[in-house]
Amino acid sequence: MTAAAAQHPLVAVDGLTVEFTTRDGIVTAVSDVSFSLAPGETLGIVGESGSGKSVTSYALMRILDDNGRVAAGDISYSGVDLVAADDKTMRAIRGREISMIFQNPRSALNPIRKVGDQIADVLRQHGMAAGVEARRRAVALLETVRIQQPEARYHAYPHELSGGMCQRVVIALALACEPRVLIADEPTTGLDVTTQKTILDLVRDLAGERGMSMALITHDLGLAAEYCDRLIVMKAGKVVEAASTEALFNNPQHAYTRALIRATPRRGARLRSLLPENDPRRGQPQPEANLRQGDSAAGGQPLVSVKELVKSFAPAASGLPFLKPKAPATPAVRAVDAISFDIWPGESVGLVGESGCGKSTTSLMLMRLLDPTSGSILFEGEDIAATPSGRFPKHPMRSKLQMVFQDPTDSLNPRFTAQQCIADPVARLGGLSGRKAIADRAAELADMVRFPRGLLDRFPHQLSGGQKARVGIARALALRPSFLVLDEPTAALDVSVQAVVLNLLADLRSELGLTYLFVSHDLTVVRLLCERVIVMRAGKIIEQGRTDDVMDNPQSDYTATLLAASPQPPAALL
Amino acid sequence: MDEPAAETALPSNAGFARRSLYILSANPVSFVALGGFGLIVLAAVFGPWLAPYDPLLTDAAIALQAPTAAHWFGTDQLGRDVFSRVLVATRLDLTISVLAVALSFVVGAGIGTMAGYYGGRADRIASRVVDTIMAFPLFVLAMGIVAAMGNSVENIIYATAIINVPFYARVARAEANIRRNAGFVQAAKLSGNSGMRIVGMHLFPNALPPMAVQASLNLGWAILNAAGLSFIGLGVKPPTPEWGIMVAEGANFIVSGEWWLALFPGGALMITVFTFNLMGDALRDIVDPRKRT
Amino acid sequence: MGGFVRGRMIARRIIQALPVLFGVVLVTFLLTRALPGDPAAYFAGPAADAKSIAQIRESLGLDRPLPEQFWLYLKDLATGDLGVSISTGQPVMAELARRLPASLELTLGALLISLAIAVPMGVLAATRPGRPIDHFCRILATAGVSLPTFFTGLALLFIFYYLLGWAPAPIGRLDFAYLPPDPVTGFYVIDALLAGDTETAVAAFSQLILPMATLALFTLAPITRMTRGAMLQALGSDFIRTAKAAGLSRRKIIGRYAFQNAMLPVVTTLGMVFSFTLGANVLVEKVFAWPGIGSFAVEALVVSDYAAVQGFVLSMALLFVCLNLAIDILYTLIDPRVSIDG
């Protein structure tokens, strides 16, 4: 922190405590939080879900939900007391002095109003421009956030724009009145890494040009390290550490900060090193792949062999036959476009790409939940794509192919207990009968994934994210499969939980001799678990090879762009 | 455990009952509704034994008497005791609506869940049928059905059931449809569950809470419908005691000031429907607090 | 989006209504043929002799296969032939056409009144959660839908006619002392005003006011409830948070951003309200002896006048399909997200 910044902070938060009145009584979401923001600096507010980082910013803007209130503390902006300010003063400050951008840009815009008009509304509100001038300025702002054809885009509705474009519009809206402070609340969550980079670079450039101060709220330490001058780390509503970015990474003071830094995957990190200091497995060697018949180089038969696999989706049917144009207006979309690859027994292969690249469609076809348009999937030499997905539950190979799903909440039946979730495949295809035998097997599986037996009678909503992920893994292992598709198994988890789950998956692979296809958007995570990686884009395979080769020396520009876009925390200390 | 300690401290199984009690106590009207509901059920079950007079016994000597200590709700144009008639009618009104709602619940849930899960042709046919029913003003359709099938109490039940089916089918379809590609349904397929098993064991139990809310909100409407049909002379025939027909008979005396003939059966009808609607609201608050209105 | 695309979408909505229309006609036809026993006997009425029954059978084609009967039915419909009412001896079509304006005057008037009250009330409640207006709306929403229309009508009649004497006797659209105005719209109040006859207009309005209030009370609750819910949902959306953070005024946030979005679900569910209103209309007409198509149908039901009842069901359904189509088109015009395939 510079001396000038310490003397004249633009925003000063002191002892902020925020409470919410809920059905379970009063909940303190933020307690005794203090920080300041100097002119021109970028402050990162970092924390995992539920740490109170967003609530802090809402309190600053005074846009808390009706059941929330500032219970104690001061917030001042340029000498104005924001806690005590009347509504009129706050309205003049919001948008004019302090602006905010949000996550989920698409829902952050009024769905039935032209995006240009929404920007013009803000200009008019703050008396920056009126009539035609407001319209002209809005177009100019769209150009500033590098939207092509700004005049035409002025008339677009949010649903006609991509997520990245919507976020640009939200940024234009926030910057319309040239505020002095910008608060960015997880502005790129849900966007692809390449879009994330362009958006954040844009925000940084615009803030720099205008000398704005910025607060970047994020759960991603890598992102914070790359864009912020100073960081505060929050946990359970409290600030645990505040320091310059460099100091925080070189010499973290608080145990939580250390654990967070450690758990964030970065280039060169090993799976074991992600675990917290006190975890006994930290010292153990990295679990090795259990390559039964050698890898690709050693020859032998692949476990899974995909040949010329295609999935095309017909354009939406018009519904009324006599209204259909002679030729279809839009050709069928090829979500997966003639891809071929092999997976050898015991291997762990990463399938990487951005949203819409066809990786999920591919995994659903491999799992026989979706029928391919053409091509074959050989499993242990047999073409399993020949059996339609509707009849596959009765196929003898069914139990050998299993899957761990992305969202642990969505993938567990809310009406089933953990025990029922794990026991369901055992009862259907496990060849066991009798309540006792099935319950014993479920308990055994729970032990295998280190899920406490005492929690087996709980429903999913009574379990934590990491526990739900374990139940999902236990269910996938129930039928003693040889091949598992892991579909972004840690995408919905906090990094500290992700570290533990990734280690569990690695251990299980070597213990049980499993073969993995790890589907992910995150190359850094893939590197931790996979020997080989396949990079997909727009339904095609762009590149495949040994993970280290692909990541250290990418052959395609696209892979290089992906790698460059994924944020990396400094690899200091550990 | 290797998870952060704070994460494991989540509510246990006892939570649901406690939460329900909390939500109910936040809105004391729910308890009043619960009490009222108990009384109505009592009246429906024991009405004939509790009634002080024979509801069909006529006595021209005491015709059109205003409420007295002997006849709490007065007497009608034939000297029958209005209180006994209102009390005894509870059973018939409730039977009609409960049977109708149960019928439409079963049919609607079946059609809706299958249509939502399987999609394609099954969905198109089901949707077309539902849309066609909904293309009629529902009460008018019920009138048409009763007129065509014959003027009887059973046909009132069928007609009320038919016009209610779309509501259940739509809720069940929507519930099944949003979950047909959910992770747990995919996982159920991987576990070897057949389509019918997924519909019955995985989708239907999840659609049940919103359907139950729909049913409890619907019950009051079903009573109103059935009473409306008998008010215009369909279904129940005099001298059977039934609220709708009693109001219809009493209507002729309103303009000459004999208000008690219509007021008491009408009031009983209104209070019953109101009680059921309050129960429905309370149930919805428990099942889905966000939809609270 | 250009006017051409909008035009095509509207055309599409109209075409999409055709299968529904067909379904309605088919169901109505099947209802007439579902009569237990000999339909011809029912259509001919209880007083008919064997000869007239045979004549009816011939004219309805009841001796022919069902698809052919349906074809005949369609042909009759196309020429506006709904059969003859046995109770009045007039063609059903003419009877319905004569009585329709009375029903429409009542229904549309009631809907306008309840919209004018319910929408502002719902908005007020949603923007003042936990305040008295909000509690009042919640009670109204539950109590309002619990009211049996025929009972509220009788209660109003008792209070305002019998006890207070403010309202005229429930004897139809106009007191015998007045002559109906020259028909232009068919609505007595408007026609009388057009003719410059204020006295008749007031008389017609005083007859209208109680039944209209009864019907409006019935629709008030669901519309208030929907508006309040939709408004609350809109106010809780992310884009309202953006608008707040950008410093837009409360008036603009509620009036333009939230209200416009909230009106979309209200417009869609208005169809359901129409359905209930048209049904309740029948009951209200009976209570107030209002000479519309509802009371015509009730009279026909009592004397088993089947042609009249079926004609009534069909015309109500057609009216409702048209109302729904109007809602669909309105929605297409106000929501930019409606796509061609939607």
Side-chain angles (χ1 to χ4, degrees):
Chain A
M1 203 188 305
T2 62
Q7 280 156 16
H8 303 288
L10 197 53
V11 176
V13 174
D14 188 24
L16 178 70
T17 300
V18 180
E19 290 177 350
F20 286 90
T21 313
T22 71
R23 290 185 169 188
D24 303 322
I26 289 179
V27 174
T28 307
V30 168
S31 69
D32 198 21
V33 163
S34 305
F35 63 88
S36 64
L37 188 58
E41 85 166 333
T42 299
L43 172 74
I45 304 178
V46 183
E48 296 184 294
S49 52
S51 61
K53 52 193 193 303
S54 292
V55 172
T56 306
S57 64
Y58 291 177
L60 205 160
M61 292 293 271
R62 283 253 306 269
I63 52 171
L64 287 168
D65 288 344
D66 287 339
N67 61 342
R69 64 182 196 97
V70 174
D74 297 313
I75 306 171
S76 75
Y77 164 77
S78 247
V80 182
D81 181 352
L82 295 189
V83 178
D86 58 24
D87 285 348
K88 198 164 159 246
T89 314
M90 275 321 290
R91 269 205 302 280
I93 287 176
R94 291 184 202 127
R96 180 75 187 80
E97 302 289 329
I98 311 176
S99 271
M100 195 160 175
I101 57 179
F102 302 91
Q103 55 180 328
N104 302 330
R106 211 186 278 274
S107 63
L109 290 169
N110 186 344
I112 59 168
R113 194 159 170 77
K114 292 172 179 174
V115 294
D117 285 340
Q118 298 189 43
I119 298 173
D121 281 345
V122 178
L123 289 166
R124 290 194 189 104
Q125 178 73 43
H126 292 289
M128 304 291 288
V132 189
E133 173 64 8
R135 184 173 281 241
R136 200 191 55 73
R137 289 270 293 273
V139 172
L141 277 159
L142 288 174
E143 200 170 0
T144 312
V145 294
R146 292 172 215 158
I147 284 181
Q148 310 286 321
Q149 299 173 291
E151 287 89 1
R153 292 289 184 240
Y154 182 98
H155 299 284
Y157 290 97
H159 73 278
E160 296 165 342
L161 303 175
S162 69
M165 289 271 262
C166 282
Q167 192 58 293
R168 285 163 198 264
V169 174
V170 176
I171 293 168
L173 201 145
L175 298 184
C177 301
E178 313 209 328
R180 291 165 70 193
V181 178
L182 178 68
I183 301 172
D185 181 14
E186 303 260 16
T188 54
T189 306
L191 300 179
D192 282 326
V193 278
T194 49
T195 316
Q196 164 167 297
K197 187 170 163 56
T198 46
I199 292 284
L200 285 175
D201 286 352
L202 174 72
V203 171
R204 177 169 59 188
D205 295 350
L206 292 174
E209 282 164 21
R210 294 155 189 238
M212 275 192 310
S213 306
M214 192 162 98
L216 175 65
I217 297 165
T218 179
H219 64 281
D220 186 337
L221 263 183
L223 217 64
E226 207 156 322
Y227 292 96
C228 302
D229 307 320
R230 216 153 50 81
L231 299 178
I232 63 175
V233 179
M234 289 187 69
K235 188 198 177 200
K238 292 193 173 66
V239 173
V240 297
E241 188 160 0
S244 73
T245 305
E246 206 183 66
L248 191 96
F249 278 96
N250 284 328
N251 188 18
Q253 297 298 307
H254 195 276
Y256 177 73
T257 314
R258 284 201 292 277
L260 202 60
I261 293 176
R262 192 169 279 126
T264 304
R266 67 205 155 271
R267 218 159 286 167
R270 306 275 288 165
L271 208 42
R272 289 299 190 217
S273 66
L274 301 181
L275 291 167
E277 287 157 287
N278 55 2
D279 193 294
R281 276 170 297 155
R282 256 184 85 76
Q284 292 170 13
Q286 176 97 4
E288 286 305 317
N290 193 350
L291 302 182
R292 276 166 294 173
Q293 293 163 35
D295 65 6
S296 51
Q301 194 197 23
L303 181 69
V304 180
S305 182
V306 171
K307 290 199 171 66
E308 294 292 318
L309 196 64
V310 174
K311 179 69 193 180
S312 47
F313 291 105
S318 102
L320 295 168
F322 53 88
L323 263 191
K324 257 186 200 157
K326 293 256 161 35
T330 41
V333 183
R334 281 200 156 193
V336 173
D337 197 354
I339 61 169
S340 304
F341 60 87
D342 293 326
I343 301 171
W344 273 267
E347 245 193 332
S348 177
V349 177
L351 183 60
V352 181
E354 296 188 290
S355 55
C357 73
K359 58 185 195 299
S360 298
T361 311
T362 306
S363 59
L364 288 178
M365 285 192 289
L366 280 182
M367 279 299 108
R368 304 302 304 112
L369 291 171
L370 190 67
D371 286 321
T373 309
S374 67
S376 63
I377 303 166
L378 299 182
F379 184 79
E380 292 180 349
E382 184 185 339
D383 186 6
I384 53 170
T387 310
S389 57
R391 275 193 282 137
F392 206 76
K394 304 261 179 286
H395 196 279
M397 292 292 188
R398 174 70 286 166
S399 54
K400 298 204 170 179
L401 302 149
Q402 293 289 316
M403 182 160 171
V404 177
F405 292 87
Q406 177 169 8
D407 183 351
T409 306
D410 170 75
S411 65
L412 299 182
N413 188 338
R415 308 260 140 205
F416 275 24
T417 62
Q419 205 261 358
Q420 285 173 305
C421 285
I422 300 173
D424 189 34
V426 180
R428 300 274 81 70
L429 299 174
L432 290 177
S433 56
R435 200 177 271 263
K436 177 85 171 66
I438 292 173
D440 285 349
R441 173 69 180 147
E444 191 186 311
L445 285 160
D447 292 347
M448 206 184 277
V449 297
R450 287 149 209 133
F451 180 84
R453 284 188 182 203
L455 302 182
L456 275 173
D457 61 347
R458 288 205 179 176
F459 288 95
H461 70 270
Q462 300 165 329
L463 299 172
S464 72
Q467 289 164 346
K468 280 184 274 195
R470 285 168 201 272
V471 173
I473 296 169
R475 176 179 58 194
L477 294 175
L479 297 173
R480 299 188 172 84
S482 50
F483 177 58
L484 276 190
V485 166
L486 312 171
D487 182 13
E488 306 249 19
T490 60
L493 303 176
D494 281 330
V495 278
S496 51
V497 184
Q498 163 174 287
V500 176
V501 170
L502 286 176
N503 271 283
L504 172 69
L505 287 168
D507 290 339
L508 287 169
R509 175 163 74 119
S510 82
E511 281 164 28
L512 304 171
L514 297 167
T515 306
Y516 285 167
L517 180 70
F518 187 104
V519 181
S520 178
H521 67 282
D522 191 342
L523 274 166
T524 325
V525 172
V526 165
R527 178 175 227 176
L528 294 164
L529 202 63
C530 302
E531 291 86 45
R532 274 200 308 129
V533 64
I534 299 168
V535 182
M536 276 187 83
R537 185 192 194 185
K540 288 192 159 64
I541 293 180
I542 294 289
E543 183 165 4
Q544 54 178 319
R546 298 193 61 84
T547 313
D548 291 340
D549 298 343
V550 170
M551 292 192 63
D552 295 337
N553 188 17
Q555 297 301 304
S556 84
D557 292 344
Y558 179 68
T559 315
T561 316
L562 267 188
L563 282 166
S566 96
Q568 298 289 329
L573 102 145
L574 310 153
Chain B
M1 267 320 292
D2 42 20
E3 242 95 77
E7 258 199 290
T8 48
L10 282 156
S12 72
N13 256 335
F16 181 75
R18 226 188 26 234
R19 198 163 57 96
S20 305
L21 208 65
Y22 173 84
I23 292 165
L24 286 179
S25 63
N27 188 2
V29 180
S30 307
F31 284 110
V32 178
L34 208 63
F37 179 73
L39 284 180
I40 293 166
V41 172
L42 273 181
V45 177
F46 300 108
W49 291 286
L50 294 174
Y53 299 91
D54 179 348
L56 299 179
L57 184 73
T58 60
D59 182 356
I62 53 162
L64 288 177
Q65 278 188 358
T68 58
H71 299 279
W72 294 355
F73 291 176
T75 56
D76 68 6
Q77 71 279 15
L78 298 174
R80 294 172 297 197
D81 179 45
V82 176
F83 177 70
S84 301
R85 288 176 64 78
V86 167
L87 192 62
V88 171
T90 316
R91 183 187 287 183
L92 181 59
D93 276 272
L94 244 55
T95 310
I96 293 176
S97 49
V98 168
L99 282 181
V101 165
L103 221 96
S104 40
F105 184 96
V106 171
V107 175
I111 294 178
T113 321
M114 306 265 268
Y117 177 68
Y118 287 106
R121 178 176 296 189
D123 188 23
R124 279 199 298 279
I125 294 172
S127 297
R128 178 89 345 133
V129 170
V130 166
D131 285 350
T132 305
I133 297 178
M134 296 289 280
F136 287 89
L138 294 177
F139 185 76
V140 172
L141 180 62
M143 284 170 67
I145 293 172
V146 177
M149 289 180 14
N151 199 344
S152 70
V153 174
E154 295 101 273
N155 288 338
I156 292 272
I157 295 175
Y158 290 132
T160 310
I162 289 172
I163 63 171
N164 273 310
V165 161
F167 296 101
Y168 298 95
R170 284 190 169 178
V171 172
R173 183 188 174 279
E175 293 292 326
N177 204 36
I178 51 167
R179 295 196 177 85
R180 62 184 291 204
N181 288 321
F184 74 84
V185 172
Q186 307 265 32
K189 289 184 199 164
L190 291 179
S191 305
N193 289 278
S194 63
M196 283 311 284
R197 211 185 152 83
I198 288 174
V199 168
M201 299 300 291
H202 290 268
L203 289 175
F204 182 67
N206 278 292
L208 206 54
M211 303 259 315
V213 171
Q214 177 74 44
S216 68
L217 289 172
N218 216 209
L219 205 54
W221 191 67
I223 300 177
L224 281 184
N225 252 305
L229 288 173
S230 37
F231 178 78
I232 58 173
L234 289 175
V236 186
K237 298 203 177 49
T240 315
E242 191 278 340
W243 294 334
I245 205 163
M246 286 171 74
V247 177
E249 287 174 345
N252 305 322
F253 298 90
I254 278 280
V255 285
S256 49
E258 282 94 8
W259 49 270
W260 58 90
L261 269 69
L263 178 86
F264 290 109
L269 178 62
M270 193 169 75
I271 289 168
T272 306
V273 176
F274 188 53
T275 309
F276 282 25
N277 284 338
L278 283 178
M279 296 270 298
D281 284 348
L283 192 63
R284 184 194 43 210
D285 284 357
I286 292 169
V287 170
D288 186 359
R290 282 164 301 155
K291 286 213 188 110
R292 187 167 185 175
T293 55
Chain C
M1 207 172 297
F4 172 71
V5 179
R6 287 266 171 255
R8 259 186 60 188
M9 282 197 280
I10 289 170
R12 199 180 169 80
R13 292 273 167 268
I14 294 172
I15 291 168
Q16 276 170 343
L18 291 179
V20 176
L21 209 60
F22 179 80
V24 163
V25 173
L26 181 65
V27 169
T28 319
F29 164 78
L30 288 177
L31 281 179
T32 65
R33 301 307 189 262
L35 291 168
D38 181 5
Y42 287 94
F43 276 89
D49 55 12
K51 195 169 151 242
S52 63
I53 290 176
Q55 204 179 347
I56 292 278
R57 184 176 292 120
E58 174 76 15
S59 71
L60 290 176
L62 291 171
D63 44 356
R64 295 183 229 179
L66 216 53
E68 204 178 327
Q69 290 183 35
F70 184 53
W71 177 241
L72 283 175
Y73 181 77
L74 284 180
K75 277 211 303 213
D76 284 349
L77 268 191
T79 57
D81 180 4
L82 289 170
V84 174
S85 161
I86 49 162
S87 45
T88 65
Q90 299 288 314
V92 172
M93 193 63 157
E95 289 281 354
L96 290 173
R98 193 162 60 77
R99 289 156 174 268
L100 190 63
S103 295
L104 282 181
E105 184 177 36
L106 178 57
T107 312
L108 295 179
L111 271 174
L112 280 180
I113 290 178
S114 65
L115 276 174
I117 298 173
V119 171
M121 200 151 70
V123 172
L124 277 177
T127 49
R128 286 159 187 75
R131 301 277 191 79
I133 175 84
D134 186 29
H135 291 301
F136 175 74
C137 276
R138 289 180 58 175
I139 294 168
L140 177 99
T142 306
V145 293
S146 311
L147 291 176
T149 351
F150 50 92
F151 180 63
T152 7
L154 286 173
L156 290 180
L157 204 54
F158 181 69
I159 296 167
F160 292 101
Y161 168 68
Y162 179 79
L163 287 183
L164 300 172
W166 295 355
I171 47 163
R173 300 180 77 185
L174 205 54
D175 195 274
F176 302 122
Y178 299 91
L179 284 175
D182 290 335
V184 182
T185 57
F187 299 166
Y188 279 10
V189 178
I190 296 175
D191 285 350
L193 286 177
L194 286 176
D197 184 355
T198 334
E199 207 184 327
T200 309
V202 169
F205 187 69
S206 67
Q207 290 288 343
L208 186 60
I209 199 154
L210 273 194
M212 200 157 71
T214 308
L215 211 50
L217 270 178
F218 174 74
T219 49
L220 203 59
I223 300 178
T224 308
R225 188 181 198 136
M226 269 156 32
T227 311
R228 182 180 172 276
M231 199 64 194
L232 275 178
Q233 195 180 5
L235 284 170
S237 324
D238 286 356
F239 65 84
I240 293 297
R241 195 183 53 191
T242 313
K244 273 187 197 163
L248 291 192
S249 64
R250 184 176 157 84
R251 202 171 138 180
K252 188 142 200 170
I253 288 175
I254 291 172
R256 173 161 279 160
Y257 279 59
F259 183 68
Q260 286 185 354
N261 274 281
M263 277 305 101
L264 295 174
V266 172
V267 166
T268 16
T269 34
L270 217 49
M272 224 39 248
V273 174
F274 282 156
S275 168
F276 293 148
T277 313
L278 290 175
N281 184 54
V282 176
L283 300 169
V284 173
E285 284 186 11
K286 176 168 155 68
V287 170
F288 290 94
W290 194 255
I293 58 175
S295 53
F296 171 65
V298 173
E299 284 158 25
L301 271 175
V302 174
V303 296
S304 303
D305 183 352
Y306 285 94
V309 173
Q310 300 310 333
F312 160 75
V313 172
L314 184 65
S315 55
M316 278 296 221
L318 293 181
L319 184 64
F320 184 49
V321 169
C322 291
L323 282 173
N324 272 328
L325 185 63
I327 289 175
D328 267 1
I329 290 173
L330 181 66
Y331 198 92
T332 312
L333 290 177
I334 57 179
D335 189 349
R337 285 166 298 183
V338 176
S339 70
I340 296 207
D341 294 313

